[in-house]
Amino acid sequence: MKKSLLLIVDVQNDFCPGGNLAVKGGNEIVPLVNKMAKNHEHVVLTQDWHPADHSSFASQHPGHAVYSQIEMSYGPQTLWPDHCIVGTRGAEFHKDLDAPHAEMIIRKGFRKAIDSYSAMYENDHKTPTGLEGYLRARELTKITIVGLAFDYCVRYSAEDAQARGFEVEVIEAATRAIDLNGTAIETKRSFAERGIKLT
Ligand code: VGL
Ligand code: ZN
């Protein structure tokens, strides 16, 4: 039988209303995420986890505005407000997130010089987080993805997982988008093109 995993991406205070990189309605997905967690034997959480001087923060690039793009050694990088700093309240999971049987927490973005949207590979698309090895070792072949944000961490997690041969499904009602200049629509177009199931 196919073994499936629920991947809950970045349901953290900073991505919810009142947080430093608030996603509109980010908190609204929590009840559905919890319900889905109850229906999945295997659950993995991701946690965006940056040092205070992380290179994806606009604050580290004087003269560059928040949400602008710069060129990094590994390609273009959007500059974000400071968010999900190690050990801060903003980096904690939303208080109502309820998935006590989660098997693992993947922290990502902890290297100062490189950002990591995907749960599988950092933004150079080469440095592995270890999730792929975990899934293969555990013989989990299907991944259902929920969480924040639809057009960044959910998107790149889904695309990497699909590209690596896993069966991927994203549950639209259990995600919310940041939507910088049409990135939500762009994500849907990309999913359609790649055959990633959006339910
Ligand atoms: C995310 C931007 C920066 C996300 C994380 O979780 O989608 N987006 N860091
Ligand atoms: Zn981040």
Side-chain angles (χ1 to χ4, degrees):
M1 206 195 81
K2 212 172 275 176
K3 283 207 290 178
S4 78
L5 175 88
L6 180 69
L7 182 67
I8 303 178
V9 175
D10 297 0
V11 180
Q12 293 166 262
N13 292 326
D14 270 342
F15 297 121
C16 291
N20 288 344
L21 179 37
V23 180
K24 197 161 170 266
N27 57 317
E28 295 166 6
I29 67 168
V30 174
L32 180 55
V33 169
N34 290 345
K35 204 167 125 193
M36 294 189 64
K38 281 198 176 60
N39 292 330
H40 278 79
E41 182 181 353
H42 303 290
V43 177
V44 167
L45 309 175
T46 70
Q47 191 171 27
D48 212 41
W49 195 250
H50 300 305
D53 59 352
H54 193 252
S55 58
S56 76
F57 295 168
S59 62
Q60 301 302 305
H61 304 271
H64 293 263
V66 170
Y67 303 120
S68 67
Q69 279 213 358
I70 58 164
E71 206 50 45
M72 302 281 249
S73 59
Y74 52 81
Q77 172 68 49
T78 299
L79 295 179
W80 303 106
D82 293 11
H83 66 277
C84 297
I85 293 173
V86 170
T88 61
R89 202 187 153 268
E92 288 171 17
F93 293 114
H94 188 286
K95 67 171 177 28
D96 297 330
L97 180 66
D98 187 23
H101 58 302
E103 298 174 357
M104 181 167 65
I105 299 170
I106 292 258
R107 286 177 168 164
K108 57 186 182 58
F110 51 78
R111 292 186 179 89
K112 174 183 152 86
I114 184 168
D115 204 4
S116 185
Y117 296 150
S118 160
M120 250 178 211
Y121 289 91
E122 300 196 22
N123 285 11
D124 60 358
H125 306 293
K126 290 200 285 270
T127 308
T129 63
L131 179 61
E132 184 183 357
Y134 179 84
L135 295 172
R136 295 208 191 283
R138 299 293 312 280
E139 299 179 332
L140 295 157
T141 54
K142 181 178 177 212
I143 311 175
T144 301
I145 307 180
V146 298
L148 305 170
F150 174 70
D151 41 351
Y152 287 93
C153 292
V154 168
R155 174 185 178 176
Y156 293 104
S157 297
E159 292 183 0
D160 277 354
Q162 171 97 352
R164 303 303 297 171
F166 295 90
E167 184 184 334
V168 179
E169 180 177 18
V170 174
I171 309 299
E172 193 171 7
T175 68
R176 291 290 184 279
I178 295 175
D179 204 14
L180 284 186
N181 314 308
T183 48
I185 287 283
E186 169 61 28
T187 300
K188 287 192 184 182
R189 190 184 314 125
S190 172
F191 281 4
E193 210 172 272
R194 291 162 195 261
I196 293 173
K197 202 159 141 199
L198 183 62
T199 314

